[in-house]
Amino acid sequence: MNNLSSASRKALEAMLKHAKAKKTKVAAEITLEDGKLFYGCNLEAACHTLSICAERAAVVNALIHCGPEFRIKNVWAIAEKNGTPHNIQVCGSCLQLLSEFAAPNLYIQGYSLDVLYPIRYS
């Protein structure tokens, strides 16, 4: 899947309104193998190490609703900085967590996980 659907884009834009960030708001959508969709938004804390990325928030959302056996087949994220849309890359921490719940052919922003994160912790 190389393109974000218009329905997903609208859902992610709505999710941006929930993000708690001073400058850059991020929303993420994960699609599970069974077709279920889960969303997350970023939360910036005063102590940066306590912040959470939108992608990880979406994974926690899926974990709460599905338990630990779900597998992710697709991830999309959008960002808005100072009210302007921006492209975004998934960070290394998110790539690692996503890899731990990955379906065999996980795609992130239209790219294979194997291309984005070829060597993972196990």
Side-chain angles (χ1 to χ4, degrees), residues 31 72-75 98-99 101-108 111-114:
T31 306
I72 304 167
K73 71 174 188 174
N74 206 15
V75 179
L98 291 166
S99 75
F101 293 95
N105 293 313
L106 171 59
Y107 282 84
I108 301 169
Y111 296 94
S112 167
L113 176 64
D114 293 333

Side-chain angles (χ1 to χ4, degrees), residues 19-26 42 44 79-82 88:
K20 181 188 175 286
K22 290 182 180 178
K23 292 184 180 178
T24 305
K25 295 181 176 190
V26 181
N42 65 327
E44 288 182 2
E80 179 182 276
K81 184 172 184 174
N82 299 323
I88 192 158

Side-chain angles (χ1 to χ4, degrees), residues 39-43 52-62 94 97:
Y39 295 89
C41 59
N42 65 327
L43 185 152
I52 186 166
C53 296
E55 299 88 344
R56 285 185 276 152
V59 170
V60 170
N61 190 3
C94 289
L97 186 63

Side-chain angles (χ1 to χ4, degrees), residues 8-118:
S8 288
R9 176 160 296 284
K10 286 180 183 179
L12 287 169
E13 288 171 351
M15 183 58 56
L16 283 174
K17 293 178 174 70
H18 297 285
K20 181 188 175 286
K22 290 182 180 178
K23 292 184 180 178
T24 305
K25 295 181 176 190
V26 181
E29 173 189 87
I30 61 174
T31 306
L32 306 187
E33 282 184 314
D34 64 6
K36 291 179 185 167
L37 299 173
F38 290 94
Y39 295 89
C41 59
N42 65 327
L43 185 152
E44 288 182 2
C47 175
H48 186 67
T49 59
L50 299 177
S51 298
I52 186 166
C53 296
E55 299 88 344
R56 285 185 276 152
V59 170
V60 170
N61 190 3
L63 180 69
I64 290 167
H65 290 91
C66 298
E69 301 305 317
F70 67 91
R71 292 294 168 254
I72 304 167
K73 71 174 188 174
N74 206 15
V75 179
W76 288 101
I78 63 170
E80 179 182 276
K81 184 172 184 174
N82 299 323
T84 304
H86 287 273
N87 291 327
I88 192 158
Q89 297 297 322
V90 176
C91 75
S93 296
C94 289
L95 286 171
Q96 176 59 40
L97 186 63
L98 291 166
S99 75
E100 294 181 24
F101 293 95
N105 293 313
L106 171 59
Y107 282 84
I108 301 169
Q109 302 289 83
Y111 296 94
S112 167
L113 176 64
D114 293 333
V115 170
L116 295 174
Y117 197 51

